[in-house]
Amino acid sequence: MRIARFSTLDDQSEVAFGLVDIDAEGQRFVSRIVGHPLLGPIKLAGDPMKLEDVRLLSPILPSKVVCIGKNYADHVAEMKDITGESTEEPVVFLKPSTAVTGPGDPVFHPAISERVDYEGELAIVIGRLCREVPPERAKDVIFGYTCANDVTARDLQKKDKQWTRGKGFDSFCPLGPWIETGLSLEEAADLRVTTTVDGEVRQDGRTSDFIHGIPELISYVSSFMTLVPGDVILTGTPAGVGPVQVGQQMTVSIERIGELTNRVVTRD
């Protein structure tokens, strides 16, 4: 299933979850869900709506976004001067919930930064309260997967020697367009991840190139913090990161999931 969160174009104050599907003519539509997909039974309600007639929002509002750095060897090599060498254990940092934004929403270029980078990533959405999850049980706590862009003020990341400010600005964590719940752990372990800027491919990697796999990441993170339903884990970005300018459009595409597009703007 593909679970979206949306508002109608007529009343953007009304937010609901919905099930995204395709009809016989290839037209995508969304059917409203009654109930929270992470918290209990759900049922469909009302008539399906064409996808272009709704505004897709971030598919989940996580209590925390747990991010993994240095999880592709080629990315470690290209960022060695800023973030150092690879480490035996996963590198973990957090983005605040206020950084989360949705598909089509603007990403704000901070006035104090001279370089803002895109970082396309696979995101894991946690489906149940968990801690100290052994790797062999990781699949039991995954609700689904979505696309993410770990937007980074690279100059501030380098200046600060740690990553909170450079990665924590409002709008620096686009998620979407929906949560794909139908992938097995084995399928999620080999997906193509690409990032384009104004249609030009800048990143092209596969999750099979992870240094630390999905079960290991969930086990490691949950060994020192409790994960709650809706929490998101970003799994790291492949090589090819680079700057994006005001006015440019970033698109993170992950096969079997979808596309997440955002434009960089200045804040009024």
Side-chain angles (χ1 to χ4, degrees):
M1 294 190 299
R2 287 179 167 176
I3 305 294
R5 185 169 155 272
F6 70 97
S7 63
T8 64
L9 297 180
D10 294 334
D11 183 5
Q12 296 194 21
S13 66
E14 183 180 357
V15 175
F17 286 99
L19 177 63
V20 178
D21 210 339
I22 301 176
D23 63 21
E25 286 74 40
Q27 176 74 48
R28 279 199 176 121
F29 63 91
V30 59
S31 300
R32 187 184 301 269
I33 289 172
V34 175
H36 195 296
L38 285 167
L39 301 179
I42 60 172
K43 62 180 181 179
L44 300 180
D47 296 326
M49 295 168 280
K50 292 181 180 180
L51 205 59
E52 60 262 31
D53 292 337
V54 304
R55 179 191 173 200
L56 291 178
L57 308 172
S58 169
I60 200 70
L61 293 176
S63 74
K64 54 186 173 291
V65 180
V66 186
C67 307
I68 305 299
K70 304 183 183 181
N71 204 27
Y72 287 81
D74 53 2
H75 176 60
V76 173
E78 73 175 354
M79 296 297 295
K80 184 169 59 176
D81 292 343
I82 295 178
T83 62
E85 301 282 355
S86 184
T87 58
E88 184 176 345
E89 295 183 330
V91 174
V92 179
F93 60 96
L94 296 174
K95 280 180 178 277
S97 60
T98 48
V100 173
T101 194
D105 288 341
V107 168
F108 298 108
H109 193 300
I112 62 172
S113 175
E114 295 182 358
R115 175 172 168 173
V116 170
D117 283 14
Y118 53 82
E119 293 191 13
E121 308 196 12
L122 174 72
I124 305 164
V125 180
I126 298 298
R128 56 185 287 189
L129 183 75
C130 61
R131 58 185 172 87
E132 299 180 353
V133 180
E136 61 272 17
R137 296 292 303 276
K139 65 180 183 300
D140 298 333
V141 305
I142 298 172
F143 179 72
Y145 303 89
T146 191
C147 305
N149 192 341
D150 176 19
V151 182
T152 304
R154 193 69 70 198
D155 52 343
L156 302 183
Q157 180 191 24
K158 183 176 182 179
K159 176 182 179 182
D160 292 351
K161 309 301 181 185
Q162 54 81 31
W163 304 355
T164 302
R165 182 169 65 142
K167 291 176 175 283
F169 285 91
D170 291 357
S171 79
F172 268 27
C173 189
L175 298 174
W178 41 65
I179 302 170
E180 173 59 70
T181 67
L183 293 176
S184 69
L185 192 56
E186 293 73 21
E187 291 169 327
D190 188 21
L191 298 173
R192 186 183 184 191
V193 180
T194 62
T195 305
T196 64
V197 176
D198 290 343
E200 178 185 346
V201 177
R202 300 289 183 87
Q203 292 182 283
D204 192 349
R206 300 196 71 85
T207 58
S208 54
D209 294 327
F210 283 166
I211 296 172
H212 306 286
I214 293 171
E216 183 182 355
L217 294 178
I218 292 174
S219 181
Y220 185 77
V221 171
S222 68
S223 72
F224 58 85
M225 69 173 74
T226 298
L227 298 172
V228 302
D231 279 351
V232 170
I233 299 176
L234 305 193
T235 56
T237 195
V241 300
V244 63
Q245 308 300 325
V246 171
Q248 291 189 305
Q249 181 172 280
M250 309 171 288
T251 298
V252 178
S253 302
I254 303 180
E255 65 176 327
R256 304 190 62 179
I257 297 178
E259 293 185 350
L260 169 66
T261 296
N262 302 88
R263 188 175 298 276
V264 181
V265 303
T266 56
R267 190 183 292 275
D268 295 334

